[in-house]
Amino acid sequence: MAVGLTSTADTLVRMRLATLQHDLRDQNRVSWIASGAVVGLVLAGGTIWVSAGGDNDLLVVALAVWMLGWVVGPLFAGGGDETVKPEYFTMLPLPPRTLSAGLLSAALAGVAPAVSLVALLSLAVAGAKLSIGALLIAIPAILLQLLCFVLLSRLAVAVYGLLLQVRTGAILAALVNAFILAFTAQGWALIAAYITTDVQGAMASGARIAPSGWGLVAVESAGRGDWLHSLACLAGLVVLAGAMFTGWSALLVRRTTATRSGVRPRRLLTASSASGAAGAKEVRSWTRDLLYGHRAVFAIAYGLFFCMMPLAVGWNAMLPWAGAAAVIMGGSMFANLYGADGTAYWSTLMVPGSSLPDVRARQRAFLLVFGPPVALISVLLTWWSGTDTWPIVLTVVPALLGGAAGLIVLSSVYAAVPTTDAHKRSGNPLNAGENAGEATGLAYVMIVLIALTAAPALVVALFASWWGVPVGLASAVLAWWWGGKAAAERLDQRGPELVTLLRHGRTTGEQTGKSSWTAKLDQLPRAKRHLANFCLGFGAIPLFPQAIVPAVFKLTENPAKVWFLALYAPSVWQWPIIAGMAALGLGMYAYGGFIYYQASKLKARPDSTDRTSAQDPLQQAS
């Protein structure tokens, strides 16, 4: 048994390292991995700096944040790193515990665990400041804490996948995820409320009770000479790791052995026209596919949480924009409708003249799902806020709805991303396949594009008040009509190519355009590529939370300072700092865009092709 466990773990680790080596051949993936590693190491360095300062209350809260990152991070990154999937080993005679131990070993062989290990060295720094015994206790505490982080992440993904297989579970998971993602953007309001009520000590006490604080408590106890308490904390980490490992193993068994039976239709399609049949089919997709329902609830809940969190500091000016935020997020979530269909689109393509009815049906379904709740949210929260923003809200919301309805079908046709077919989904519904990063990038681009569709009507509403409402309605109808028409024409012309893409993915011989673009990027210096990706990925930090939000706070005379740099400076320097932060954010976006524009003007070298998919990475481990 021990030999089998060791050989299985060794094989899976080598498979994981082979896939990592394969990823490092793709310059775009290298850019994202390097950017994430740099940011992680900066945060890890900050954690060590906190421990060196001797503020253990702040350190234990920082460790709790690291644990939270391990829990929620995979939920927004395509289901976490599952290059080595459990389903690959279903037919092998491996005991569940052996397979789980091997997968855990593979999960530990990556960039994220290495960065977290650096952050956990803060325990050794804290122990060294206390005593030699505390430093010795810190060594097993670091290893056990890292093991618990990774196990907690794997267990969270497994539980989340289980919830997505039940309708109520999918809704609950959507609410939790929406709150967490909104907290990453608007959590400053809740933090400000906590700070003003003087509960820092309570937060530190709670963080020590959480598993993320047990390692630090063990180190502190050893520093005081309380060896029994110290060993009890370490034993608690061992028991917790064993319990999580057992639970994860059980869920893996269920994932790799559960059978999925067909569902008997509750009501047959009785439509008498092509438009009616397409509409009925699309409505059934939205009501029966749990991922569709999950994403819709997530988008609406995100809009509510995002705009209601500032109420914690008494700022209600964002309430009217909850509906608009829900539409923008919803459009980004459904920017790959045909990619989600997968090879099932073949049945639609084989019906002559089906493109336009199918596209219009998808647009109607989107408006039916998001239109009524967004309208209700916008009206109620605008009335609740008491602000005089009715002309702007009634202008922007219809414009966004129409713009999103037009753009989601356009992006689904022109920028379709191959994903796993619905009937081939693994036990982890979060996993979007090998193109998860591309799907995420498409969602980010759609957020910007959908917001821009309301810009003309917004400008009219700002300068001409109620005259913006008819302009918003006109732009909504135009975007809906033109977007659907262009998408249908594209399907009529390139429908078979789309089916081929969704069935076979982008192989080396089938993605000339992508290979050409990769070849152009390869001609730029590596430092420029990495810097451009960094600027595009993090330009929002100085622009929005350090420039726009503090500017709004100053204009509304809000006293909260939170983490806004400008508001801590003398009043004479506040506006210059805000202007500097805005210039920095816009400059980062401008630099990244300019570098990519330069790449687009280059000529691809004929001998520079994308060979990253020429060999199955899992075969490289043999």
Side-chain angles (χ1 to χ4, degrees):
M1 179 67 181
V3 175
L5 177 61
T6 303
S7 60
T8 300
D10 178 68
T11 301
L12 294 184
V13 168
R14 288 191 292 112
M15 292 173 67
R16 176 66 187 92
L17 294 177
T19 58
L20 181 60
Q21 182 182 7
H22 173 78
D23 290 342
L24 294 179
R25 298 179 182 177
D26 188 330
Q27 295 298 331
N28 290 329
R29 291 188 180 181
V30 169
S31 298
W32 287 111
I33 292 174
S35 299
V38 169
V39 173
L41 289 175
V42 169
L43 296 176
T47 306
I48 295 175
W49 178 76
V50 168
S51 65
D55 190 350
N56 286 352
D57 286 348
L58 184 57
L59 174 60
V60 75
V61 173
L63 293 176
V65 173
W66 278 95
M67 182 183 71
L68 182 64
W70 272 99
V71 174
V72 304
L75 305 184
F76 302 104
D81 184 5
E82 281 205 344
T83 309
V84 183
K85 298 180 182 179
E87 286 82 3
Y88 292 158
F89 313 98
T90 303
M91 303 302 294
L92 297 179
L94 292 175
R97 301 291 174 83
T98 302
L99 176 60
S100 301
L103 292 173
L104 176 60
S105 301
L108 289 169
V111 177
V115 172
S116 296
L117 180 62
V118 174
L120 288 172
L121 292 177
S122 57
L123 295 179
V125 175
K129 293 174 68 67
L130 296 175
S131 66
I132 296 297
L135 177 60
L136 295 176
I137 287 292
I139 297 175
I142 290 172
L143 299 178
L144 290 173
Q145 203 77 72
L146 179 63
L147 180 63
C148 287
F149 283 177
V150 176
L151 277 170
L152 187 59
S153 176
R154 296 292 87 197
L155 184 61
V157 171
V159 172
Y160 188 86
L162 185 63
L163 288 176
L164 283 184
Q165 298 175 17
V166 184
R167 191 174 304 278
T168 54
I171 293 174
L172 177 62
L175 295 175
V176 173
N177 284 353
F179 177 83
I180 293 172
L181 186 60
F183 182 83
T184 61
Q186 298 283 55
W188 58 265
L190 300 182
I191 294 173
Y194 281 130
I195 292 175
T196 55
T197 53
D198 193 24
V199 294
Q200 300 95 314
M203 291 178 61
S205 299
R208 280 185 167 83
I209 295 174
S212 59
W214 293 358
L216 181 60
V217 172
V219 172
E220 291 177 330
S221 299
R224 297 192 305 266
D226 189 353
W227 296 103
L228 182 61
H229 192 199
S230 179
L231 295 177
C233 291
L234 295 181
L237 288 173
V238 173
V239 172
L240 178 63
M244 290 192 295
F245 179 78
T246 302
W248 181 43
S249 298
L251 291 176
L252 283 181
V253 171
R254 186 184 188 279
R255 172 175 171 177
T256 55
T257 59
T259 58
R260 296 173 175 83
S261 59
V263 179
R264 183 175 60 87
R266 293 189 292 266
R267 185 166 58 87
L268 298 177
L269 295 177
T270 58
S272 58
S273 64
S275 178
K281 182 265 295 181
E282 195 62 24
V283 169
R284 279 164 170 74
S285 297
W286 283 77
T287 56
R288 295 182 181 179
D289 192 325
L290 295 184
L291 280 180
Y292 271 57
H294 167 79
R295 290 169 179 167
V297 173
F298 167 81
I300 295 173
Y302 175 82
L304 287 171
F305 288 136
F306 182 83
C307 295
M308 295 182 71
M309 282 185 180
L311 288 175
V313 292
W315 188 30
N316 63 352
M318 292 196 68
L319 289 178
W321 308 109
V327 174
I328 294 174
M329 182 59 69
S332 69
M333 291 288 100
F334 293 96
N336 191 34
L337 291 173
Y338 285 100
D341 277 7
T343 55
Y345 172 63
W346 176 255
S347 61
T348 303
L349 180 66
M350 293 301 294
V351 179
S354 62
S355 297
L356 185 59
D358 185 64
V359 168
R360 294 300 186 200
R362 294 175 188 269
Q363 291 180 302
R364 290 199 305 271
F366 178 84
L367 293 175
L368 180 63
V369 170
F370 282 95
V374 164
L376 180 63
I377 289 170
S378 300
V379 170
L380 289 180
L381 294 187
T382 302
W383 169 78
W384 182 19
S385 69
T387 58
D388 188 20
T389 56
W390 286 104
I392 301 178
V393 172
L394 296 180
T395 296
V396 169
V397 171
L400 288 175
L401 280 169
L407 285 177
I408 59 172
V409 290
L410 272 178
S411 64
S412 298
V413 172
Y414 279 89
V417 179
T419 59
T420 306
D421 280 2
H423 67 285
K424 293 182 179 179
R425 289 175 187 164
S426 68
N428 177 12
L430 289 170
N431 197 330
E434 61 181 6
N435 298 310
E438 190 176 349
T440 303
L442 177 62
Y444 283 129
V445 172
M446 284 292 290
I447 289 176
V448 177
L449 294 180
I450 293 173
L452 290 177
T453 59
L458 176 61
V459 172
V460 175
L462 289 175
F463 289 97
S465 188
W466 289 98
W467 285 106
V469 176
V471 175
L473 292 173
S475 69
V477 173
L478 178 62
W480 169 83
W481 175 81
W482 178 81
K485 181 175 180 295
E489 291 176 352
R490 174 76 172 185
L491 287 178
D492 287 334
Q493 298 170 1
R494 305 294 295 272
E497 288 88 342
L498 178 60
V499 171
T500 302
L501 170 66
L502 299 180
R503 180 175 182 179
H504 299 292
R506 291 188 175 93
T507 62
T508 303
E510 296 169 339
Q511 54 173 349
T512 304
K514 184 178 179 181
S515 297
S516 176
W517 174 246
T518 303
K520 291 178 179 180
L521 286 177
D522 287 344
Q523 297 181 51
L524 295 175
R526 181 175 300 180
K528 274 192 174 182
R529 292 197 304 268
H530 293 344
L531 184 57
N533 288 332
F534 178 83
C535 289
L536 292 175
F538 298 97
I541 295 178
L543 179 60
F544 291 100
Q546 294 298 336
I548 295 178
V549 175
V552 172
F553 271 34
K554 281 187 64 66
L555 293 174
T556 57
E557 298 182 354
N558 193 307
K561 295 182 179 180
V562 203
W563 64 299
F564 306 127
L565 176 64
L567 300 185
Y568 284 93
S571 57
V572 68
W573 291 105
Q574 289 182 357
W575 281 114
I577 292 176
I578 290 174
M581 286 294 179
L584 176 61
L586 292 174
M588 292 173 69
Y589 279 125
Y591 177 81
F594 177 72
I595 294 301
Y596 273 76
Y597 174 76
Q598 279 187 323
S600 68
K601 295 300 182 181
L602 298 174
K603 291 184 178 180
R605 297 170 182 169
D607 60 339
S608 178
T609 56
D610 185 5
R611 301 183 180 90
T612 58
S613 58
Q615 183 179 1
D616 186 349
L618 298 182
Q619 293 178 356
Q620 299 175 13
S622 59

